[in-house]
Every structure is written in structure tokens, then in C-alpha cells.
Amino acid sequence: MISKKIEEALNGQVNAEMYSAYLYLSMESYFRSLNLSGFAGWMRAQTQEEMMHAMKLYDFINEHGGRVTLKAIEGPPTKWESPLAVFEATYKHEQKVTGLINKLVDSAIEQKDQAANTFLQWFVKEQVEEESSVDKVVQKLKMADRNPQAMSTLDRELGQRALT
Ligand SMILES: [Fe+2]
Ligand SMILES: [Fe+2]
């Protein structure tokens, strides 16, 4: 059984992951408006991953005697200055999520909830990967942002992700 405190914290994270999905879906729509279908596909894959994260938490809460209670998902931004601005915002967002996951781990440890702590370690690793993959795109965009040819190459490269 998870404690009420952990239940509440995990429910909060379900909402945060659903917001992430919503944010990346909004970014996909922005990229579609720019006809950057590779970037858009990358964001679609990212959206699906975030929904998977939410469901992983959802299942964990249920399997451990908790109750999932869904809350409103905040509306994401709908416009950005440039593809670079989108990925910079993505990086910032992932850093924020990493902070939330770390806090969850802290409270699992505080509550002596080993099951929750072990479960959350998957998210700790996932955040390291996410920050690093998003940072790579930021670095590439810094070089390509004003160069149409480099942008189209990068668009094709990012589009590969949707296929995997
Ligand atoms: Fe996530
Ligand atoms: Fe994420």
C-alpha cells in the first residue's frame, strides 16, 4: 500500500506527464505550421512517450492500492519564436520535470517506501536520457537555425525518430 502522501505526489506526476504530452503536441502543431514534418514527427513521438510515462504512473498507483484522481491539464503555449526556441523550451521543461522526479524520490525515501523508490528510478534514468537527447538537438539547431539547407537536413534526421 502506498501512503496518502505518495499517492498524492504520484497523482501530481500523472498530471505533469500529461501536461508534457500536451506541450509537445502543441509543439508538433507549431512545426506542422512551418512544414517541418521531421521535427513534427519527433514531437509526436515525444508526446507518445510522455503519455506512456503518465500511464506507467497510473498503473503503479492502482497496483499499489492507491486511487488515481485526474486533474485539469493546463493549456500549453501555442507559439514560439523559432525551432531553436522550441527546443530550448523543451530542454527547460525537461529540467523542471527532472526536479519533480527528484522530489518524488526524496519523498519515497522519507516515507520509507522502497517499492515507490525502486519504481521511480526508471524515471530518474529516463530524465537523464531526455535531457541529453534534447540538448543535442539544441546544439545542432544553434548551428542550423538560419541556414535552410542545414535545417532541412536536420528535419530529415529528426524525422527518423518517428519511424523507430
Ligand atoms: Fe516524462
Ligand atoms: Fe519528458
Side-chain angles (χ1 to χ4, degrees):
M1 278 287 280
I2 47 175
S3 69
K4 279 287 149 202
K5 206 180 160 199
I6 295 289
E7 181 191 77
E8 210 183 292
L10 291 174
N11 266 301
Q13 193 61 31
V14 171
N15 189 270
E17 300 291 344
M18 290 302 287
Y19 175 76
S20 298
Y22 223 31
L23 173 65
Y24 297 140
L25 193 59
S26 187
M27 288 171 170
E28 175 187 343
S29 166
Y30 170 77
F31 283 126
R32 298 246 172 247
S33 78
L34 299 179
N35 283 318
L36 289 167
S37 60
F39 281 90
W42 193 97
M43 281 298 169
R44 171 73 64 99
Q46 187 73 7
T47 298
Q48 284 164 341
E49 264 196 35
E50 299 300 354
M51 290 182 73
M52 221 181 64
H53 296 168
M55 293 316 293
K56 231 175 149 72
L57 290 150
Y58 183 103
D59 289 339
F60 180 87
I61 296 166
N62 278 313
E63 282 160 13
H64 291 78
R67 165 84 158 90
V68 172
T69 45
L70 298 176
K71 301 212 169 54
I73 304 163
E74 199 189 315
T78 54
K79 273 186 275 184
W80 291 268
E81 291 270 319
S82 64
L84 175 60
V86 173
F87 272 85
E88 281 174 339
T90 299
Y91 186 69
K92 240 182 159 173
H93 182 68
E94 288 299 333
Q95 282 185 311
K96 197 178 130 195
V97 173
T98 299
L100 294 174
I101 297 290
N102 289 342
K103 262 199 198 151
L104 272 174
V105 170
D106 287 346
S107 63
I109 291 169
E110 222 177 79
Q111 302 275 306
K112 299 188 172 27
D113 189 334
Q114 301 306 330
N117 184 17
T118 303
F119 167 71
L120 288 165
Q121 293 308 312
W122 184 88
F123 285 86
V124 172
K125 268 194 233 143
E126 177 70 10
Q127 284 310 118
V128 175
E129 268 172 43
E130 288 220 24
E131 280 191 34
S132 121
S133 75
V134 172
D135 184 52
K136 275 185 199 139
V137 181
V138 169
Q139 298 318 318
K140 283 179 183 171
L141 271 172
K142 277 187 178 161
M143 292 188 285
D145 213 21
R146 309 271 169 231
N147 176 338
Q149 180 130 25
M151 277 302 283
S152 122
T153 304
L154 189 51
D155 187 53
R156 237 173 295 130
E157 188 189 319
L158 291 189
Q160 298 300 311
R161 177 182 176 179
L163 305 174
T164 58

